[in-house]
Amino acid sequence: MGRYNYYKPLSLDDALALHDKIPGALFIAGGTDVMVKIVNGDIEPSALISLRSIPELSGIKENGSTRIGSMTTISELIEHPKLHKRYPVLIEAARRHSGPQIRNVATIGGNLCNCSPCADTATPLLVLDAKVRLRSIEGSREIPIEEFFKGPGETCLSSSEILTDILLDPPQREARAVFMKKGRVHMDLATASVAVLLEMEKNTCRRARLAAGSVAPVPLRLSQVEELLEGNIISSELLDRAREISSETVSPITDIRATEEYRRRIVGIYVRRGIERLLKK
Amino acid sequence: MTDFHYIGKETKRPAGPDKAAGKAHYIHDLVRPGMLFGKIKFSEHPHAHIKNIDISRAERLPGVKAVITAYNTPELRIGFLRDNFALKKDKVRQYRDEVAAVAATDPETAEEAIRLITVEYEPLPGIFSPHDALKDGAPLVHETDARGRARSDNVLPLRFHHESGDLEVGRSAASHSAEGEFSTPLVQQCCMGTAGCIAEFSMSNNLTIWAKTQIPFLAQRDFNRALSDMGLGGRNTRVIVPTLGGGFGSGLDTHTYEYIAILLAFQTGRPVKIVYTRDEEFAFLSPRQSTHTRIIQGCDSEGRLTFRHVEVLQDNGAYTSWGATYPSVMMLPATSLYRVPNVYFDSKLVYTNNTYCQAMRGYGNPELTWALESNMDELAGEAGIDPADFRMINCNEPGETTPMGLKVSTCGLKECLESVAEKLDWKKKHGKGKRRGVGMASLMHVGGSGRIYRSDASGLIIKLDDFGNANVYYGGIEMGQGLHTFLTQAVAEALGIRPENVIINPTDTGTCPWDVGTHASRGAFMAGNTAILAAEKLRRRIFEFAEELFPKEVAKNIKKLQKKDPDFKAPDFDVAAAAKRDRFELKDGFIFIKDAPAEGYMRVELGRLLRAIHFRNQGQMLTADVFYDPPNELPDFEKGYGNISATYAYGAQGAEVEVDTETGEVEIIRMAAAHDVGKVLNPQTLKGQIYGALAQGVGYALYEEIQSHEGRILNPDFRDYKIPGTLDMNFPIDLEFIETDDEYGPFGSKGVGEPGLVPTAPAIANAIYDAVGVRVHDLPITPEKILAALNKK
């Protein structure tokens, strides 16, 4: 492990200015991914700039829509008195994120910026049509979360940008959503995960949002399945088709956790089961 | 002794509060003045010639105090076959081969120095499966044996074999037979505390080593031999064992890193510490061996076993540790679990370029029982007999002598099977299919230590102090299993003092008597028997002295009372006349005469009597030492015969599972476990042993596997080596202890350290078969394997 300086700025402007000044500096949030990479020798930053003491990045604010500060820990999400009622799918996913000790330090912003295809909070945010706010010295911008993920470990963040907020629209009263995750054991990185959100009008699906994790280079919207479902009565045949399309449209890899075939299979099964579960609700 | 004060009751763990508060000193916490940090450079090839090692850049790094290789240090051969070396010369045979090591003033410098060492290799073709190792023309992992004689194949010169009865007779008597091939993976002990040591030399070149070991005295012998090889013949090693964060067999041999620390400490003249990181522990410490077992069993039309044929092939990896002797334990279930008259057992161990293996909890028994108990269900299916009934038909019984010559003193297997069947509601639930199923499996294991070495003994010393405390010196290892808890209870019970007056001293070869090691589920069995013998010695001496001194102390009591209360009248009891050694009793730290009036002043506190014995002309202090070698035999392993243990532990476990036939996932609904433990010594500790082992068994069944590609370990971390967590063990475990009150066990007990994981995997596999009609033959039973089996069906 190399040596590096550690900075803990007290404002967002200071953090951005520091980063601008120190070549090779890296922002660090909870550190549960960054530190592992440093210890393994995968990255060698010249300095770490901690975002932990920046008040602008913490806290959850609600006035109709919801703003989640990027330094909100996974535990804080779970313990928040209202979030689990307003966005239960996000909290279901947060509960399946790692274990209690890691959840106490890992942040939602870090989970997204690490941009692992298996990031547990990514798929629920995709089906909730979340937006993220990014800030640099030049200013800030807001983009849909779908555009945030570019490739494995690669986001649209420039190296001098900070993800400051996750923005969620007020929940639609008719929307129901579910998160499903397959691991080798309960506490595991997802072998495959699926989030499904449906707005039903009697038997007809008015709006559908589906996303899958660990089955593509990035957390993936399953747009073809959404198109298949929207405007249609969800029949058993349609469910079979949804399962098939899900398995076909993803592009998983074979690795130590599972084979490509198994991941395709699980995504299809979970899409079908997820929809079925929502229809029963 | 049947009316126990402390045995059978829960006693606090002596080190519990310290461990909870972070005050217990594990090897990671220990620091010695002037201590350096050692780090090892491991091979980058599974099989290669070493062409050149360049250490010059590492040597020049400030803070580096020594850089060693096999070329600048004495050759240290290790392992009982002497086929391993502390540092490798000329050739590497596995990825984890040690080619160089450094000692530096801090861990970061040591790590940096390791990076600066460059090694040139000439890669050689490798062997990565035991089947390939047996092929004609396979590359040789070792060209010569330890004596330099040329080797012609990769088979280890170790023979474990058994034949009894007549297999042909057994075959022709069989109406049904079933054959199966089963395999088990490499799995890791996964100690919470990783491996490590500190080695330190005195100016007279005696060595002190703080070692994470389960065999301090065998380690002392190994290290003394190393000293001799270093030109320090006649110098001595003192092994001190710090608090251990788990052992599970990983401490049953000495390790290369220990010898490297010794070489570095000698070279630098300073204490050197080497502690493995978690990644190093996974990649560079020896796991449980992988096995391939072929088994055929047959039974007659009544379901009675007529023969059993077992052949085991084990991947030993590149070098040999004591773990290579797994077949010495495999023989037990192979010959003696259930009554079977005609048995053939053979095992073959082969060298490969995979990581070399060592002992782990169960020591061959889980591997063999996996094959045997899965095959029992296959055979029951062939014979059309309910698997629970089939096991009962063939159940072992007390008093029998098995084909291996095991003398079964007590046996609660029948009761265990009945318990599991009842708890699982077997008759109602078995054979119903519909993705839910129940399964069971039995086990037998050594329960009265296991003689696999020339001595199977343990010594124990109790030193009484002036305050009524018993200071205990014992060579057995507390590694989290609760040995010191039980030793405290045993000494308190057998001596007649309170547990808080028992002090267990750290294990140290300098102070404790010899002990072969804490293996073979022998911890409590040996600690209990030695404690009882030592306590008896002390009681005898205390009561001898009491004849003279006890009446004087009682007289003082009475005088004191009379001073307070002039009306006090001494009872009409002649204390001096009654003070005879056979009439004394010692309980809860007080001595009294058994038939004397039960008054406080008729009792004398032990400390007071000990002071009276000590502080007078020609006074004495009382110490007792004992050395106990249990009544068992070192078997002839080539013939597979001999009563290896003083008594045998039995048990059965069962599982109810639900299988998701779409995803292949197995959900355990409940488990039942019943174990013949002889006698419950401490309910909480015992439950901990069984629950913990059963969880390891669940991991073995469903999750755990060291995955490797051409000898390189691919999942050296808990991210990808999955063990069951609390949420995976979130099902009821119905646990029952069968007390058979064994005559050889202390207070009637049997060893139970290992049994809890032995039958778990086959019980789960049998339940899966009952649920969905498919059987996976190679552990772990992953969802993908279940789907593949369902597809084939």
Side-chain angles (χ1 to χ4, degrees), chain A residues 1-3 36 39-40 181-189 243 255-263 265-266 269-270 272-273, chain B residues 106 108-109 111 115 279 660-665 702-703 707 714-715 718-725 727-728 783-784 787 791:
Chain A
M1 190 177 6
R3 288 162 200 272
V36 174
V39 169
N40 287 345
K181 172 175 171 177
K182 168 85 182 90
R184 292 158 296 182
V185 293
H186 194 275
M187 193 174 90
D188 194 6
L189 299 173
R243 177 180 165 166
D255 66 9
I256 196 161
R257 284 163 219 146
T259 59
E260 178 199 331
E261 300 78 54
Y262 189 66
R263 287 193 160 102
R265 184 184 177 94
I266 292 294
I269 292 167
Y270 277 16
R272 189 190 165 122
R273 286 185 185 178
Chain B
D106 60 89
E108 289 77 19
T109 305
E111 207 179 310
R115 265 202 296 272
D279 287 16
D660 185 325
T661 50
E662 277 195 314
T663 64
E665 285 170 293
L702 300 177
Y703 312 122
Q707 299 186 54
L714 303 173
N715 55 339
F718 281 120
R719 187 183 65 186
D720 283 317
Y721 182 94
K722 301 314 284 187
I723 60 173
L727 292 169
D728 304 296
E784 296 198 54
L787 289 178
N791 268 340

Side-chain angles (χ1 to χ4, degrees), chain B residues 30-95:
Chain B
L30 295 182
V31 177
R32 297 289 301 164
M35 187 175 86
L36 300 173
F37 297 85
K39 196 87 181 166
I40 299 168
K41 172 93 174 170
F42 294 97
S43 168
E44 290 143 87
H45 293 273
H47 199 194
H49 284 303
I50 299 171
K51 302 292 284 178
N52 184 46
I53 306 175
D54 181 359
I55 60 171
S56 55
R57 286 200 301 157
E59 280 180 320
R60 285 199 299 271
L61 187 70
V64 171
K65 299 296 173 189
V67 184
I68 59 170
T69 68
Y71 299 94
N72 65 10
T73 52
E75 177 181 283
L76 298 186
R77 277 179 179 268
I78 62 175
F80 78 95
L81 290 186
R82 317 287 291 159
D83 60 2
N84 196 2
F85 304 85
L87 288 159
K88 275 61 178 182
K89 209 177 212 170
D90 305 329
K91 188 173 157 176
V92 290
R93 297 178 174 85
Q94 53 171 0
Y95 266 110

